[in-house]
């Protein structure tokens, strides 16, 4: 076998290894982004719930509000 064949094999191995490494890295980054998005959605849900409670407090009659505060 010629030297050119060995050079070609080495180059092919390096290119394949680099491609596999990039694919693996992109999968890890995607998983990290998914976790981050889930955390942000959870925070958003919590904020929406807090806004609902504040709206309910503001729109209720003062008499109902006093009763609720006294119950707490």
């Amino acid at each position: 076998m010629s030297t050119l064949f060995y050079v070609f094999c080495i180059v092919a191995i390096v290119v394949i290894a680099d491609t596999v490494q990039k694919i693996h890295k992109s999968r890890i980054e995607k998983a990290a982004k998914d976790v981050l998005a889930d955390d942000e959605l959870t925070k958003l849900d919590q904020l929406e719930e807090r806004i609902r409670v504040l709206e309910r407090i503001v729109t209720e009659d003062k008499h109902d509000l006093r009763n609720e505060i006294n119950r707490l």
Side-chain angles (χ1 to χ4, degrees):
M1 294 197 183
S2 71
T3 309
L4 185 61
F5 174 74
Y6 291 118
V7 170
F8 176 76
C9 288
I10 291 171
V11 170
I13 290 170
V14 169
V15 169
I16 291 171
D18 185 53
T19 304
V20 169
Q21 185 180 15
K22 286 180 182 178
I23 291 171
H24 181 67
K25 185 178 179 180
S26 69
R27 287 183 181 170
I28 290 173
E29 288 175 356
K30 183 181 177 197
K33 286 179 184 178
D34 289 344
V35 169
L36 197 65
D38 289 343
D39 290 343
E40 290 176 357
L41 286 175
T42 303
K43 288 179 183 179
L44 183 61
D45 289 340
Q46 291 172 349
L47 287 173
E48 286 177 349
E49 181 62 29
R50 291 178 71 182
I51 290 172
R52 282 189 203 102
V53 169
L54 290 172
E55 287 175 342
R56 186 174 49 102
I57 289 172
V58 168
T59 58
E60 283 184 355
D61 292 336
K62 290 184 179 183
H63 179 39
D64 294 337
L65 182 60
R66 283 189 195 131
N67 289 336
E68 188 171 334
I69 290 173
N70 288 335
R71 277 187 265 148
L72 295 176

